[in-house]
Structure formats: C-alpha cells, structure tokens
Amino acid sequence: WELRRANPSLTRGELYAAGLRIGRDHVGSAVNTLVMAYAGAALPVLLFSYLSGAGLGTVLGSQSIAQEIVRTLVGSIGLVACVPVTTFVAAVVASREPIPVKPRTSSRPRP
C-alpha cells in the first residue's frame, strides 16, 4: 500500500516486482535471524561435541545437529516460498483499491 500511495500509476505487475525487491531484503534478514536462533539453540550440543573430541563428521552426523540443520533449511524454504505468494496477493488487492488521495497541505506556516 505504501508503494501504491507513493506512485498510484503503478500497474499490478509493477507493484508485484517492486514488492519482490523489497521482500528479498526482508527474507535475507529473516533467514539470517533464523539461522542464528537455531545455532544458539544448538550451541550447548555443539560445545559438548567439541569438548568430547569427536570429529566434524561425527558431530554433523549426530541426530541433534542434523535436526537443527534440517529445521534451518525447512524454515528458510518456507520463508523464501511465502514471499512471492503474499506479494502477489498484496499486489492484487492494492491494485484494486481506489487511488489514494494525498491530503492537501496548506501554504500557511503553522504557529
């Protein structure tokens, strides 16, 4: 709606393309946050595995670490997949609404 308000002449396709460009930035931030959250949750297991002297292959193959890796991948795929769908729905709805009228500003200075 902000894009529509900023430029009311944008078509549905242009709104969608602009929304996707903005959405990519949001997805990048969300995926980074998701990875850090899961890494933080798995930190005790990683520390225990490191201190136990197990090799990297053993640590990455362990059920708890593999589970966190799969969670991160599935969550990231979900985030990436939802952006085009929600952007399309928003572009359709925003393009059907009447063009917003910007409020007039008075030329008189405010007291």
Side-chain angles (χ1 to χ4, degrees):
W1 284 269
E2 288 298 320
L3 291 170
R4 175 94 166 146
R5 189 175 297 120
N7 187 355
S9 65
L10 289 175
T11 65
R12 182 180 305 159
E14 292 168 333
L15 279 173
Y16 179 73
L20 278 181
R21 285 191 300 273
I22 294 168
R24 274 189 227 126
D25 293 334
H26 289 279
V27 166
S29 298
V31 167
N32 288 339
T33 302
L34 186 67
V35 168
M36 291 300 169
Y38 284 132
L43 191 59
V45 176
L46 286 171
L47 287 174
F48 177 74
S49 299
Y50 175 74
L51 294 174
S52 70
L56 182 62
T58 306
V59 171
L60 292 178
S62 69
Q63 181 179 354
S64 56
I65 299 300
Q67 183 178 2
E68 295 302 327
I69 292 170
V70 170
R71 282 184 187 177
T72 301
L73 291 174
V74 170
S76 299
I77 290 168
L79 284 170
V80 170
C82 77
V83 169
V85 174
T86 56
T87 302
F88 176 76
V89 171
V92 169
V93 172
S95 67
R96 290 184 179 179
E97 290 185 0
I99 296 173
V101 178
K102 292 184 179 179
R104 282 190 179 188
T105 57
S106 106
S107 58
R108 276 186 338 168
R110 291 185 177 178

